Every structure is written in C-alpha cells, then in structure tokens.
Amino acid sequence: MDQTEFEQVVRLVTEEVLRYLSAPGKPPASGADLDDEICPDCDLNCAEKCARKTRAVVDAGADRISCGPTVVELDAGFAGLIDHTLLKPEASRDEIRKLCQEAARFGFASVCINPWYVPLAAELLRGTKVKVCTVIGFPLGATLPQVKIYEAEESIKLGAQEIDMVINIGALKSGQDDVVQSDIRGVVEASHRGGAICKVILETALLTVEEKVRASMACKQAGADFVKTSTGFSTAGATAEDVALMRAVVGSEIGVKAAGGVRSFDDLKKMVCAGATRIGASASVKIMEQASGAAPVPATSAPAGTSY
C-alpha cells in the first residue's frame, strides 16, 4: 500500500468514526431519509436500523456487520472468549493458583500472567484446555526489539502458548512505522516458531485515531494473530469505538482483543458487538456470574499432583 492509498484509508475510517461520535442530535426522520439519519438512541451500531447504510458498507467490501448490545446473543461457550488476567506486580503464587483454578473451572481461553509465573501456570493447567498467555515488553513497550524476542522465546520454552506484546509506542508517535512493524514482526515470528500465537497491544488510550489506524495496519502487515487495545496500566482501557475502528482496519483475517476496563457482562457484550473476538479481564468470574445469574462460585482446591 503506497502513501496515497494509506492516507485515503485513514481519512475514510477517521471520518466515519468521528461522524458517529460527534453527530449532533436531530429530530426523528421518516421515510427514505431515515436510512441516512443518526437515530436519537444510536448505540453506534446501525445494522439493525439503517438499511441503506448497511448496504453501502457491504458493497464497499465488509464481510461482517456488528449488531447493537441490545440484540446480541452469546451462547454458553462465550467463556472461551476470555483471557482470565492477573498482571499486577504484587500478585502472589496463591493468587495465581486461584486464577488457574477459576480458568479451568469456567473454561476460559487462557490465563494471562507475567512471565515469572508461566512455569507455575503451565504446571497447574496441564491436562486442561486453558492456554497460558504471557506479556512481553510490558507494560511500556519501550524494550529493545531483541529483548522482546528473547523474552518471548524463553516464555514459550517455559510453557507459554500465547504471547501478548506491547508495541513501541514512542516509535509510532515519531512516525517510524517501519520500526514499529519490524518490532512486531520479530516477536510474531518468534512466537510462531515456538507454536504460539501473538497478540499485539496498541495502548489505544495514548493514540490518536490516525495512530490507531497506522498501528493496526502495522500489526496486520507484520503477521500478528490479534490486535489488542490496552495493557490495563495506562490512562484508560478498551472502548467499543476503538474495537470497531481496529476491526474496520484489520478486517476479518485476524482477531481483535478488548482489554482494560471490561468489568461486566454488559461491557463484554458491547466489545463483542463492536468486533472483539477475545476479551481480557480480571473480573472474569464476576462476568460469568452476571451472565448466568448464579450465586458466586466458591473457591476450589488446587488440582491433585501439582508441585507448586
């Protein structure tokens, strides 16, 4: 993609997102004009309301249309969307054990933990379907590229099956997109060599709309398996608008992970509606309880035979 094509993509995506976010309130429309109006109670997802707009989006090449949170239905397997997360620096071994027990009980996609705890999590989750996910260059993304590669390789040797890396945010803001893409590609290739997938954290709270577009494109071009919104350690976390923007840029070929501030079942539904295919949350058990309407689940004992 040359510079002219890139600028056109940025302009079109930016205009569409900003139009949704800043459209002033208007009186209700009727007849044919209804298709082109922003509804007074618009939830930023128009597939159920605006037939003309939906047709235009499909004609432009879209292969998926997001629904609003009021109409989304998630089946009983939605726990498999969640990376059960504990990344606080003071996390203890007992807390990691509890995290792994909960992940195995509910069938979460993975536990997402700091590299130090990868061997413990790998041992506790052996024989389950829950993956071990760890973070690389976390949470700042300013680590040297060769250090990120080494950290990913060593984590995979210790049992990590999924790698969440943070981009070089400063390089992106400096316009060094080639540096950003090379940094991502190094970790992606190291992950794939070790049989792991790689999710790339943009830290969207620190980026402009244009920078989010450029970062998402760099992830896709570098071969990432997912783009991810946030570390959860910055000024804000995931928003449905950012998820929708990232999905619009990367298309259907790779995943989108919403992380940071997803604390309820309603939050999860909004992110899925916007295009997320994975959710990072520390409130995963609470989300499951809200979804089922069940009483809180009591803690379980550690799996038999564990040595940690």
Side-chain angles (χ1 to χ4, degrees), residues 109-191:
S110 79
V111 294
C112 189
I113 42 126
N114 284 303
W116 172 249
Y117 282 127
V118 165
L120 172 60
E123 177 67 19
L124 291 170
L125 292 170
R126 184 176 296 142
T128 76
K129 295 182 179 180
V130 180
K131 307 290 188 185
V132 176
C133 173
T134 197
V135 289
I136 301 300
F138 192 85
L140 302 179
T143 312
L144 293 171
Q146 57 267 40
V147 175
K148 289 182 181 177
I149 292 170
Y150 178 80
E151 188 176 24
E153 290 173 338
E154 292 302 304
S155 295
I156 292 168
K157 289 177 185 177
L158 293 172
Q161 298 154 294
E162 299 191 354
I163 297 294
D164 286 17
M165 70 162 288
V166 187
I167 67 165
N168 188 325
I169 302 165
L172 181 74
K173 285 190 165 289
S174 300
Q176 297 175 288
D177 292 15
D178 55 338
V179 172
V180 175
Q181 187 173 323
S182 176
D183 184 51
I184 295 168
R185 183 178 288 110
V187 178
V188 167
E189 292 178 350
S191 300

Side-chain angles (χ1 to χ4, degrees), residues 12-289:
L12 291 173
V13 173
T14 301
E15 287 177 355
E16 182 67 14
V17 171
L18 292 179
R19 185 159 64 87
Y20 274 100
L21 293 177
S22 62
K26 298 180 181 179
S30 60
D33 292 337
L34 181 60
D35 283 345
D36 293 327
E37 292 294 328
I38 301 296
C39 302
D41 59 346
C42 180
D43 58 5
L44 306 181
N45 297 286
C46 296
E48 296 296 318
K49 299 177 182 177
C50 305
R52 185 180 303 170
K53 185 175 294 181
T54 300
R55 286 195 299 271
V57 172
V58 172
D59 289 344
D63 58 8
R64 180 179 298 182
I65 300 294
S66 295
C67 64
T70 57
V71 297
V72 68
E73 293 184 4
L74 297 174
D75 62 30
F78 81 86
L81 298 173
I82 298 174
D83 289 343
H84 195 29
T85 302
L86 179 55
L87 292 168
K88 62 182 184 180
E90 71 272 25
S92 69
R93 293 169 68 84
D94 285 344
E95 288 175 308
I96 297 298
R97 289 190 186 96
K98 181 181 179 183
L99 188 84
C100 292
Q101 292 160 9
E102 291 169 343
R105 179 177 179 85
F106 287 102
F108 294 134
S110 79
V111 294
C112 189
I113 42 126
N114 284 303
W116 172 249
Y117 282 127
V118 165
L120 172 60
E123 177 67 19
L124 291 170
L125 292 170
R126 184 176 296 142
T128 76
K129 295 182 179 180
V130 180
K131 307 290 188 185
V132 176
C133 173
T134 197
V135 289
I136 301 300
F138 192 85
L140 302 179
T143 312
L144 293 171
Q146 57 267 40
V147 175
K148 289 182 181 177
I149 292 170
Y150 178 80
E151 188 176 24
E153 290 173 338
E154 292 302 304
S155 295
I156 292 168
K157 289 177 185 177
L158 293 172
Q161 298 154 294
E162 299 191 354
I163 297 294
D164 286 17
M165 70 162 288
V166 187
I167 67 165
N168 188 325
I169 302 165
L172 181 74
K173 285 190 165 289
S174 300
Q176 297 175 288
D177 292 15
D178 55 338
V179 172
V180 175
Q181 187 173 323
S182 176
D183 184 51
I184 295 168
R185 183 178 288 110
V187 178
V188 167
E189 292 178 350
S191 300
H192 291 174
R193 285 195 301 271
I197 68 170
C198 184
K199 313 187 203 89
V200 183
I201 306 170
L202 308 188
E203 201 66 286
T204 49
L206 302 181
L207 306 180
T208 66
V209 172
E210 180 186 12
E211 288 165 349
K212 293 168 192 175
V213 172
R214 286 165 42 213
S216 297
M217 290 179 66
C219 294
K220 184 175 181 178
Q221 292 168 352
D225 299 288
F226 280 78
V227 288
K228 177 179 171 181
T229 60
S230 319
T231 62
F233 283 75
S234 188
T235 56
T239 68
E241 292 78 20
D242 282 343
V243 170
L245 175 63
M246 293 158 67
R247 174 56 72 196
V249 175
V250 303
S252 60
E253 291 87 356
I254 68 177
V256 176
K257 178 176 173 179
V262 182
R263 299 187 178 93
S264 70
F265 188 49
D266 283 343
D267 290 340
L268 181 145
K269 289 191 290 182
K270 289 175 184 176
M271 299 304 168
V272 172
C273 283
T277 50
R278 189 76 70 90
I279 304 294
S282 58
S284 315
V285 173
K286 176 184 173 182
I287 290 170
M288 295 298 295
E289 291 165 354

Side-chain angles (χ1 to χ4, degrees), residues 296-308:
V297 178
T300 58
S301 57
T306 57
S307 57
Y308 286 84

